[in-house]
Amino acid sequence: MERSVIIAGFGGQGVLLAGKILAQAGMDRSLEVTWMPSYGPEMRGGTANCTVVLSEASVGSPIVDEPDALIALNRPSLDKFEASVAKGGAIIVNSSLIDRKVARKDVAAHYVPINDIALKLGDARAVNMVALGAYLRATGSVPLDAVKRAMAHALEESGKGKFVPMNEKALDEGYGAVA
């Protein structure tokens, strides 16, 4: 089993943190993992993406030409990465910000109002966890509980443990938003 995902959006949407948490959850399950970030010089508002590979065997390269999945948190990310997703893959579309449908018919597109869900939970910063929950449901790459544990550990380690309950709810809401 090898799964790869590109998580992409604007800087400030928690793209890199979501990728780190997914990678940590994979490591906690004894998978081989790579995490490769890419971002512009801007602190917020610039482009940001990361690639995560989870595998039962050694990962030859962190560079992925055809990821199994894409989490597109904004339209420029969908426009840039849609064509690269492997046939039969999954695309999580943030329908709160993206005003178009996935053009491809050979992938599973999941339209989730990610920003709206985060706002309903009371914190727009939860966008990344809502998106990650949706991805987990759509792909089954790692169990939801493993990601919750990795998220809790990451937040507690960074002194932000008070945000764990809200982020657990965000993961649950994103997971439940995919049929």
Side-chain angles (χ1 to χ4, degrees), residues 113-137:
I114 294 169
N115 283 65
D116 296 340
I117 292 170
L119 289 171
K120 183 184 88 173
L121 291 169
D123 195 335
R125 294 174 295 181
V127 164
N128 59 345
M129 292 301 108
V130 174
L132 190 52
Y135 163 77
L136 296 174
R137 179 69 177 265

Side-chain angles (χ1 to χ4, degrees), residues 80-141:
K80 180 176 181 176
F81 294 110
E82 176 183 352
S84 69
V85 176
K87 183 177 179 179
I91 300 178
I92 308 300
V93 177
N94 181 0
S95 62
S96 297
L97 298 181
I98 299 173
D99 61 352
R100 75 168 180 88
K101 299 293 184 191
V102 171
R104 295 178 54 189
K105 303 299 182 212
D106 62 347
V107 296
H110 303 276
Y111 301 94
V112 180
I114 294 169
N115 283 65
D116 296 340
I117 292 170
L119 289 171
K120 183 184 88 173
L121 291 169
D123 195 335
R125 294 174 295 181
V127 164
N128 59 345
M129 292 301 108
V130 174
L132 190 52
Y135 163 77
L136 296 174
R137 179 69 177 265
T139 65
S141 63

Side-chain angles (χ1 to χ4, degrees), residues 159-166:
K160 298 178 181 177
K162 67 182 180 181
F163 297 112
V164 169
M166 189 271 306

Side-chain angles (χ1 to χ4, degrees), residues 7 23-24 39 59 78 111 147 160 162 178:
I7 306 170
Q24 183 63 55
Y39 48 90
V59 178
L78 180 62
Y111 301 94
V147 172
K160 298 178 181 177
K162 67 182 180 181
V178 174

